[in-house]
Amino acid sequence: MEVRDLHAWPSSPREAEAIQDRLRPMLDLDAPGPARPRTVAGLDVAYAGDGEDTGTRLAAAVVVLDAATLDVVEESVAVGTAAFPYVPGLFAFRELPTLVTALRGLATVPDLLVCDGFGIAHPRRFGLACHLGVLTGLPTIGVGKTAFVGAYTPPGPRRGDTSPLLDGGEVVGRVLRTQDGVKPVFVSVGHRTDLDTACRNVLALTPEYRLPETTRRADRLSREALAG
């Protein structure tokens, strides 16, 4: 699949922040999003060791699932190194070069990308899901295991219960309970989808477990590639 080259990879935090600021106006946060996607891709990255050093070996995986059956349609994996330092808010730049390589290895163009991370629930409103959305032009959402920014009241205990994730008085995401009595996940939009549709798609991808099947399969594939 096609991934656009919209910028050079930065060598400093200042350059990285400038790229985020330049690309942010390209986001489409008003589109209704795919209500019934046919294919959904999960993206995840595994790191060797603690993953914090520049030059750390990593593996990026993309797994495309049939949205109706959750069967695997296609997989792509790339192994590389983290070429950017660990800086809060700029973590995407450690993963993007290798993720882009994995995405370009796909023959399938998925209807929705699901990132293990954040969209606009980010200090500069431009997390990994936003960045990937702009580069690919595809509807993209982030599903985080913990909150990066914002405050919230815990949602109710039942599957489908939600509460808003607020940062500076702005709704930047939604706290979503995907299974009865388990910890919630943190859903934020990245590009070309709305929050209601994003949450419906996350629930469709979590029939049995807390995390979306897209994330679970991509996590497994990235770890296997790193160990191989």
Side-chain angles (χ1 to χ4, degrees), residues 120-121 147 149-156 160-177 184-188 195-196 199:
I120 63 168
V149 297
Y152 64 94
T153 300
D161 287 342
T162 67
S163 62
L165 180 63
L166 300 167
D167 187 44
E170 178 184 359
V171 176
V172 296
R174 194 168 292 167
V175 189
L176 172 65
R177 193 87 62 183
V185 297
F186 298 82
V187 181
S188 55
L195 193 52
D196 286 343
C199 288

Side-chain angles (χ1 to χ4, degrees), residues 43-65:
L43 302 92
D44 202 6
V45 175
Y47 289 84
D50 61 16
E52 293 191 5
D53 294 331
T54 302
T56 296
R57 187 168 174 265
L58 57 82
V62 185
V63 179
V64 182
L65 303 183

Side-chain angles (χ1 to χ4, degrees), residues 37-215:
R38 294 164 298 174
T39 53
V40 183
L43 302 92
D44 202 6
V45 175
Y47 289 84
D50 61 16
E52 293 191 5
D53 294 331
T54 302
T56 296
R57 187 168 174 265
L58 57 82
V62 185
V63 179
V64 182
L65 303 183
D66 181 299
T69 64
L70 300 183
D71 292 333
V72 175
V73 174
E74 188 180 1
E75 298 176 340
S76 179
V77 65
V79 177
T81 57
F84 196 82
Y86 181 90
V87 180
L90 301 177
F91 197 72
F93 292 98
R94 296 173 61 80
E95 303 187 345
L96 275 169
T98 312
L99 276 171
V100 165
T101 299
L103 282 166
R104 285 176 171 157
L106 290 178
T108 307
V109 179
D111 295 326
L112 176 68
L113 301 180
V114 179
C115 302
D116 178 28
F118 304 95
I120 63 168
H122 179 275
R124 281 177 295 282
R125 305 297 187 260
F126 200 80
L128 175 63
C130 298
H131 209 138
L132 280 166
V134 169
L135 293 182
T136 63
L138 297 175
T140 311
I141 63 175
V143 182
K145 302 178 186 72
T146 59
F148 181 35
V149 297
Y152 64 94
T153 300
R158 304 303 299 272
R159 171 177 163 84
D161 287 342
T162 67
S163 62
L165 180 63
L166 300 167
D167 187 44
E170 178 184 359
V171 176
V172 296
R174 194 168 292 167
V175 189
L176 172 65
R177 193 87 62 183
T178 55
Q179 298 295 329
D180 291 354
V182 304
K183 293 180 180 179
V185 297
F186 298 82
V187 181
S188 55
V189 301
H191 185 53
R192 292 185 56 201
T193 190
D194 63 276
L195 193 52
D196 286 343
T197 304
C199 288
R200 284 197 297 271
N201 281 319
V202 171
L203 283 174
L205 292 167
T206 53
E208 296 183 65
Y209 300 100
R210 176 191 177 217
L211 297 178
E213 285 302 304
T214 41
T215 300

Side-chain angles (χ1 to χ4, degrees), residues 22-38:
R22 179 166 61 85
L23 297 185
R24 190 185 310 109
M26 299 175 66
L27 293 175
D28 181 356
L29 302 177
D30 297 319
R36 293 179 177 83
R38 294 164 298 174

